[in-house]
């Protein structure tokens, strides 16, 4: 289909972009990588009267660690994560996440900020940002706000961003020593949105007990879900198989999926259970500096009733 008619501007500064947003009220949309917005325009699922293309604003494309945090600018692309040494070293969960988003073509254009601003519960970064305890920096006519990732996702395709605000940056506090994370996703075919996904970030003490955990779930509810009960359960426990299995069961309970072409709620909860166990194991191994054999992300072991679960 052909999009409905819209006007277009490519401002040179964030202030100009904000002025245009204010001028057009709810009728304007920010265009970043265009990998979600353009398909929606073509399907006429979105019909903005004005597009504000932020791609010509300089100095918004960065992934850098400073002041004790990783800063991801509004125009940083998925592919930029792969090129970052500090991400590879300290934030492997971000690489896990980017690697399972679409394909290289999409990842060369799609921005990480756009991925979260879109508010799609099927997008992969939101759960990871929740697990990492990220903050989203929103600029608008009333100034700058800092919104914790776990408060950002309000309902289906609705975030805490006001229509006149721009998400200028994601800030991820630098993980403590002996911290790491992992993201696992089941997809029907390579490049698909998640049937379910689980993000886990853990911090271990020097005896490998978990002293902090962040857990986020993808596409098993109307918004990305913070699995807060799983996080509390993991805290102050050794991450042995008993703990991992129980935590994975709790994560499955915290999922709130609906039936669709990707499966029944029961099936999706079970996928969460399997992926949560795998993500906790891998996050813990990375945090401890050890290695474990990891199953391929797209494999799924169905439950066997009344026997030990994976
Ligand atoms: C074939 C295909 C497969 C895909 N598969 C996956 C997948 O498996 N997992 C996944 O997570 N994603 C997937 N995506 C979506 C992709 O990651 C999107 O690019 C991403 O969701 C949006 O980022 P963008 O920069 O392209 O944003 P755009 O498409 O430009 O914008 C998306 C929305 O966010 C708003 N927006 C963007 N940036 C800002 C900002 N800085 N401030 C305020 N609002 C902003 C826009 O106004 C718009 O409403 C897929 C896309 C395609 C085309």
């Amino acid at each position: 289909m052909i999009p409905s008619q819209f006007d277009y501007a490519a401002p040179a500064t964030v202030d100009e972009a904000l002025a245009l947003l204010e001028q057009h009220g709810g009728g304007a949309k920010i265009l970043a990588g265009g990998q979600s917005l353009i398909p929606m325009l073509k399907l006429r699922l979105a019909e903005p009267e004005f597009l504000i293309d932020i791609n010509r604003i300089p100095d918004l494309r960065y992934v850098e660690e400073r002041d004790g945090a990783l800063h991801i600018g509004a125009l940083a692309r998925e592919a930029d994560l792969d090129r970052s040494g500090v991400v590879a070293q300290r934030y492997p969960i971000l690489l896990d996440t980017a690697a399972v988003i679409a394909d290289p073509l999409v990842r060369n254009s799609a921005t990480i900020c756009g991925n979260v601003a879109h508010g799609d519960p099927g997008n992969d970064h939101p759960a990871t940002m929740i697990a990492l305890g990220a903050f989203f920096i929103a600029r608008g006519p009333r100034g700058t706000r800092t919104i914790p990732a776990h408060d950002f996702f309000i309902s289906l395709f609705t975030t805490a961003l006001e229509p006149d605000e721009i998400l200028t940056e994601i800030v991820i506090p630098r993980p403590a020593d002996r911290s790491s994370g992992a993201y696992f996703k089941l997809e029907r075919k390579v490049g698909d949105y998640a049937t379910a996904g689980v993000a886990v970030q853990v911090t271990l003490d020097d005896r490998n007990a978990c002293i902090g955990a962040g857990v986020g779930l993808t596409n098993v509810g109307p918004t990305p879900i913070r699995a807060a009960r799983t996080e509390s359960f993991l805290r102050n426990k050794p991450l042995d198989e008993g703990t991992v299995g129980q935590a994975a069961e709790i994560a499955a309970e915290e999922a709130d999926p609906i039936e669709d072409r990707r499966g029944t709620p029961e099936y999706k909860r079970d996928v969460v259970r399997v992926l949560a166990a795998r993500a906790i194991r891998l996050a813990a191994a990375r945090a401890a500096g050890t290695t474990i054999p990891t199953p391929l992300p797209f494999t799924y072991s169905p439950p066997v009733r009344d026997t030990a679960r994976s």
Side-chain angles (χ1 to χ4, degrees):
M1 272 172 71
I2 297 170
S4 56
Q5 196 176 345
F6 56 84
D7 286 322
Y8 169 95
T13 64
V14 171
D15 286 339
E16 277 178 40
L18 288 173
L20 285 166
L21 269 182
E22 201 173 8
Q23 196 179 319
H24 291 277
K29 276 268 176 207
I30 297 293
L31 175 69
Q35 297 303 301
S36 291
L37 185 55
I38 289 177
M40 289 186 79
L41 296 180
K42 283 182 166 174
L43 293 167
R44 298 207 177 188
L45 292 171
E47 297 189 64
E49 66 190 43
F50 204 91
L51 281 194
I52 302 168
D53 181 349
I54 59 172
N55 286 280
R56 302 219 185 129
I57 301 178
D59 305 328
L60 287 182
R61 186 169 181 173
Y62 54 85
V63 177
E64 61 195 25
E65 212 178 34
R66 62 182 141 82
D67 308 326
L70 185 74
H71 297 251
I72 299 176
L75 288 177
R77 318 285 163 172
E78 299 291 349
D80 294 333
L81 295 174
D82 291 333
R83 300 185 192 111
S84 162
V86 74
V87 168
Q89 191 192 341
R90 260 196 288 279
Y91 308 84
I93 189 173
L94 288 174
L95 294 184
D96 294 346
T97 309
V100 292
I101 292 176
D103 51 56
L105 223 56
V106 170
R107 296 200 292 269
N108 282 338
S109 300
T111 64
I112 301 121
C113 284
N115 192 283
V116 301
H118 191 44
D120 184 342
N123 276 2
D124 293 291
H125 278 298
T128 292
M129 296 302 170
I130 288 170
L132 282 165
F135 295 92
F136 299 151
I137 312 300
R139 259 182 73 182
R142 293 162 299 283
T144 300
R145 295 194 294 145
T146 300
I147 308 163
H150 60 80
D151 288 338
F152 187 75
F153 303 98
I154 307 292
S155 62
L156 197 65
F157 291 102
T158 306
T159 70
L161 273 184
E162 296 294 338
D164 56 4
E165 287 181 317
I166 294 178
L167 175 58
T168 53
E169 190 178 63
I170 297 172
V171 178
I172 302 172
R174 181 180 161 157
D177 289 346
R178 295 178 62 75
S179 296
S180 198
Y183 183 70
F184 279 83
K185 160 182 176 176
L186 180 80
E187 49 194 1
R188 294 172 303 173
K189 60 182 172 62
V190 173
D192 190 22
Y193 288 90
T195 299
V198 181
V200 174
Q201 177 79 14
V202 294
T203 303
L204 306 180
D205 68 11
D206 52 12
R207 298 168 66 185
N208 289 344
C210 174
I211 52 173
V215 182
L217 309 179
T218 300
N219 222 10
V220 284
T223 63
I225 291 173
R226 178 185 189 182
R229 282 202 295 125
T230 312
E231 292 176 356
S232 322
F233 177 80
L234 286 168
R235 233 164 273 135
N236 301 319
K237 294 210 175 58
L239 293 182
D240 54 28
E241 275 306 296
T243 304
V244 170
Q246 282 184 64
E249 297 278 357
I250 297 169
E253 286 167 19
E254 292 191 89
D256 184 22
I258 54 162
E259 176 149 5
D260 61 17
R261 61 202 165 143
R262 292 188 173 83
T264 62
E266 295 73 28
Y267 168 67
K268 293 180 184 179
R269 272 207 195 86
D270 206 56
V271 172
V272 168
R273 182 184 63 77
V274 172
L275 298 185
R278 291 179 186 179
I280 296 167
R281 286 188 202 111
L282 182 56
R286 284 172 169 169
T290 56
T291 52
I292 55 165
T294 57
L296 291 171
F298 51 82
T299 58
Y300 167 68
S301 320
V304 180
R305 294 216 176 281
D306 303 318
T307 59
R309 295 187 149 190
S310 69

